Amino acid sequence: MTTQAAPARSATEPDADPAARNGEPPPARANPLREGLRLERKPEACTMVICGATGDLTERKLGPALYNLMLGGLLPAEFSVVGFARRDLSDDQFRDQLRKGIDKHSRNRPVKKSIWESFSQGIEYHRGDLDDPKAYEALAKRLVRIDRDRGTAGNRLFYLAVPPSLYPEIVERLDHAGLAASRGRSGATGGWTRVIVEKPFGSDLVSARRLNREIGSVFEEQQVYRIDHYLGKETVQNLAVFRFGNGLFEPIWNRRYIDSVQITVAETVGVEGRGEFYDDTGALRDIVQNHGLQLMAMFAMDPPVEFRAQDLRDEKLKVLRAVKPMSPGEVAAATVRGQYVSGWVEGEKVVSYRDEPEVAPDSQTETYAALKLAIDSWRWAGVPFYLRTGKAMPARVTEISVQFKRAPLALFARAGMPQIEPNILAIRVQPDEGILLRFGAKVPGQGLQIRSVNMDFRYGSSFAVDSPDAYETLLLDAMVGDPSLFTRNDEVERAWEILDPIIGTWQAGDGGPLHFYGAGTWGPPAADELLERDGREWRRP
Ligand code: BG6
């Protein structure tokens, strides 16, 4: 995270003990005054190896993110990329493929010729089966050659852009080919080695633990960067600055002043050709387990002792530990699951989820989920946290909205005026990133009339710069060795501990019915009833 005013994260691994850092040298303590200048965060020369490089992620996210980092002068000239995949491509064909993805998806377009030319010189393609040991031996040789030719000093970042079922095999093969050891360990190249893994990290607690164990048998925890791209979004990072960099909000950030919190992750898209994956996954695993609970943890955590990876992640874990997993008997009353049927979204006809390619015609998978969670801590006891996420919604919006308690005395209601709406603080993560405060104000004129008005901070108008894409932030963080915005093994496991009972109860058919909602609506009426039972309603973003 880079901030101007608040003491930002140092570019550090957390531990002072060199052994615990897996031999990585003690990182320089960042100068808080200079932190925030992205130029300060230029990583050492390194090679990024993308395993599964011909997939969608490389085209849509990784290629454009790397190009934008290069364009911003944030990558060293020696920086190199090796695409590793089975498809038979030449270096040039792979470069063309990357280039097409950048042309289509980069936030800065058109692509600058001079930047592309210098970036593309460092791009190579390594053809091989990801389960073939020989492919890794050849990769090891290639990387030594790149170190020699381009001066990448043995620093390697492996990005596993493949389904999680392949992670164990890939890490094992990397290990056998001598590619897993980091600086200071026997067999190491003298440089650092880190691995980025994509979500979903397991499909339940058992599989996540197994995955952690398997990856952990090869890599130290400090080498593993589990990506949750929501943590790289600018407003999510700003949440920490907003809370801990200002004196105003923290004193009221608790059960005494806050009535309830709503977290919404609404998408207009359906399953976008990922029917097979999604039908086995569902909204709870796809969004709530990671993005939803991480947003909640960032919102609800106590101030960390220091703004360092370990402290930040300890605080987030404390929040997750304070969420009591539901018993099967509680699930029906505290959760709602829905699936969309045909309708219209943004003027386009959308077919029913069950008619999507590779989705079972009688699928029970939820494309919408709403939950009421409780954080049993001194700060939050009694404050409900309502989380909802859905596909095929009327608008794309991610928002955390805080409803404050009413004033202790309804002074104006006594004068016959209607109750003033409660104050709302809405943190808009996307789109139109910003923060909105809603409060009652006197309508100008004689007499007393009160109406709710908004104080609206918008990133777009307050800062003349474009926010970086989450992948730019996170790739750069991994290269400089800052894991603050990546999820630690214990956080991931705790998130599954919270969700497993819900998923299990739903699957057993005991958690209430699957409700249907029309595409282009805000979900099933049962989700509204979830809040109505508590005398509340969802905020319409
Ligand atoms: C991914 C999910 O993690 O996040 C997708 O797997 C979802 O289903 C996506 O569409 C949403 O990300 P964003 O950044 O577009 O909100």
Side-chain angles (χ1 to χ4, degrees), residues 199 229-230 233 267 274 286 291 391 396 430:
K199 65 172 274 281
H229 76 282
Y230 268 56
K233 292 187 189 265
E267 298 184 88
R274 296 191 306 158
D286 188 40
H291 311 327
K391 299 255 184 217
R396 174 178 184 246
Q430 64 184 19

Side-chain angles (χ1 to χ4, degrees), residues 21-25 44-47 143-144 147 151-158 178-194 219 223 479:
R21 279 197 317 271
N22 189 29
E24 296 210 15
E44 294 174 81
C46 61
T47 305
L143 290 173
V144 169
D147 285 340
T152 39
N155 295 322
R156 281 127 196 211
L157 179 63
F158 292 96
L179 287 170
S182 200
R183 189 179 284 167
R185 276 172 66 195
S186 65
T189 55
W192 49 256
T193 300
R194 299 178 190 132
F219 290 102
Q223 292 176 278
M479 288 179 213

Side-chain angles (χ1 to χ4, degrees), residues 379-392:
R379 187 190 278 263
W380 296 116
V383 178
F385 280 73
Y386 302 102
L387 272 70
R388 64 174 164 170
T389 182
K391 299 255 184 217

